[in-house]
Amino acid sequence: MTKAETWAAVHAERQALIDDLAVLDAAGWNTASLCPGWDIHDVLAHLVDSARTTRRGFMRGMLAARFDVDRANADGIRRA
């Protein structure tokens, strides 16, 4: 798969996710996800935060969280 094909697939999947989430009402965003302790809003916030981070930002976040992945994820959800 070429780089262009990869990014085309990424953009198509992002649009599919947007379409799926567009129908949610306020209660839907608070629905528990398959990730223990996370609702739909938390999962999306995690995806957004992960997509925005850089290698340097990831390392800064891990240092700030004292290399606790759960804490780093919670910090990212709060940011997003």
Side-chain angles (χ1 to χ4, degrees):
M1 183 178 272
T2 68
K3 187 175 182 178
E5 291 169 330
T6 299
W7 279 110
V10 167
H11 292 301
E13 288 301 318
R14 286 177 177 169
Q15 186 60 55
L17 179 58
I18 290 167
D19 294 343
D20 288 343
L21 297 173
V23 300
L24 292 180
D25 59 11
W29 285 98
N30 295 321
T31 301
S33 75
L34 297 177
C35 301
W38 288 14
D39 59 19
I40 299 301
H41 175 270
D42 295 338
V43 172
L44 183 62
H46 172 70
L47 292 174
V48 168
D49 182 63
S50 296
R52 287 181 174 168
T53 197
T54 62
R55 287 184 183 123
R56 181 175 282 162
F58 174 79
M59 288 308 299
R60 273 195 308 259
M62 288 303 293
L63 284 168
R66 297 184 189 100
F67 294 96
D68 181 327
V69 174
D70 292 329
R71 181 182 291 169
N73 281 332
D75 292 343
I77 288 169
R78 276 191 296 280
R79 275 193 305 271

